[in-house]
Amino acid sequence: MSKVVILSGSPSTQSRLYGLIHYATEQLREAGAEVTLLNVVDLPAEDLIKANFNSPDVTASLALLADADAVIVASPVYKAAYSGLLKIFLDLVPQEGLREKPVLPLFIGGTLAHLLVIDYALKPVLNALGGRHFLGGVYAVDQWVERLPGGAYGLSEELVVRLDRSVKELNELLKL
């Protein structure tokens, strides 16, 4: 069974980003993948800020990432870049921590004007961590994700098509 870690850099677990995360998780699990959601916001802030590599939470999170066959990097877009919370965590990942792991970005922002954040802000950092196989990724606009009663999310048809295509590509790489 392939292991996929979804690394969420959202400072809020109520973000519409979780509409994308939950959808991708369901699709991957249906295909037979073991999916683990790693919410950076749940890690001790002091350990992240001070780069405490001896922290049990940081150590366990980095071990999850190291053991993954693929990584989904998810973040909201703030000020034309991914979240600072995600950057703080990525700074803790070892130099070759993403080598030979397919990486699928899932991003959400308020406008299409930030569409290139994946290519110009995220990919250079992931490349520095050994990441070389980047899937096209999905950038969504907030309006494409509707909050529904009970904590569920409704996704626009266009967004579902794009998520299906990206998750299918990841499944094919993992041979699911």
Side-chain angles (χ1 to χ4, degrees):
M1 178 180 288
S2 293
K3 296 178 183 177
V4 178
V5 168
I6 300 178
L7 177 60
S8 172
S10 178
S12 169
T13 56
Q14 304 304 308
S15 170
R16 285 184 169 91
L17 175 66
Y18 285 88
L20 282 70
I21 290 171
H22 292 170
Y23 187 86
T25 298
E26 288 175 21
Q27 298 304 310
L28 288 162
R29 286 186 176 149
E30 285 178 16
E34 178 184 323
V35 181
T36 304
L37 176 58
L38 175 54
N39 283 312
V40 179
V41 73
D42 292 337
L43 298 174
E46 186 171 354
D47 290 343
L48 291 170
I49 292 168
K50 292 184 176 182
N52 182 0
F53 289 96
N54 295 318
S55 161
D57 292 318
V58 170
T59 302
S61 297
L62 293 174
L64 266 176
L65 201 62
D67 195 39
D69 298 304
V71 178
I72 293 176
V73 178
S75 179
V77 175
Y78 301 117
K79 309 286 188 234
Y82 52 88
S83 74
L85 186 60
L86 178 60
K87 178 64 166 105
I88 286 174
F89 183 80
L90 291 174
D91 286 346
L92 299 174
V93 175
Q95 191 69 29
E96 297 291 314
L98 295 178
R99 181 153 308 282
E100 298 184 24
K101 297 180 192 303
V103 179
L104 171 62
L106 296 181
F107 274 49
I108 194 164
T111 173
L112 281 174
H114 300 298
L115 175 67
L116 296 176
V117 67
I118 294 171
D119 290 327
Y120 293 107
L122 181 69
K123 285 183 182 177
V125 174
L126 299 180
N127 189 59
L129 298 174
R132 300 293 185 271
H133 192 123
F134 304 113
L135 285 78
V138 175
Y139 179 89
V141 177
D142 287 335
Q143 293 82 3
W144 298 349
V145 181
E146 178 185 4
R147 287 191 182 100
L148 301 174
Y153 297 92
L155 307 179
S156 72
E157 287 182 42
E158 176 185 349
L159 181 53
V160 168
V161 167
R162 293 174 59 225
L163 283 166
D164 283 344
R165 183 174 46 238
S166 291
V167 171
K168 180 182 177 193
E169 183 181 0
L170 181 57
N171 286 339
E172 289 170 358
L173 282 173
L174 296 173
K175 297 180 180 22
L176 295 175

